[in-house]
Amino acid sequence: SYEITPLPGFEACFATKAGLMVVANSQRRQGLIQDSLEYGDDIRILLTPDQMTQFYRLLEQAKKSLDNLRNPK
């Protein structure tokens, strides 16, 4: 979201140790924020906002499952 910065453009990236990157970038303030999953130099998958939300929810579910395995009740 553009609420996080007054800059006209930005790139935000999260990378795993294995090299998977989740990237959000924008060139102009009025333009769209483009989300993508990237791996190395060869693979780049553009995501719609709905797909990015789905991916985030999958990560949340995976984290909960891992936490439950580490700390069973």
Side-chain angles (χ1 to χ4, degrees), residues 28-67:
R28 298 178 313 224
R29 195 148 186 80
Q30 280 72 27
L32 295 174
I33 297 172
Q34 185 177 49
D35 297 317
S36 63
L37 294 178
E38 301 179 16
Y39 187 77
D41 294 331
D42 299 329
I43 300 173
R44 183 178 200 191
I45 302 168
L46 298 177
L47 301 175
T48 65
D50 287 340
Q51 290 171 323
M52 189 63 185
T53 299
Q54 289 174 338
F55 181 69
Y56 179 76
R57 288 184 181 144
L58 285 172
L59 289 176
E60 284 183 322
Q61 289 174 0
K63 182 182 181 320
K64 285 179 186 177
S65 294
L66 289 172
D67 289 344

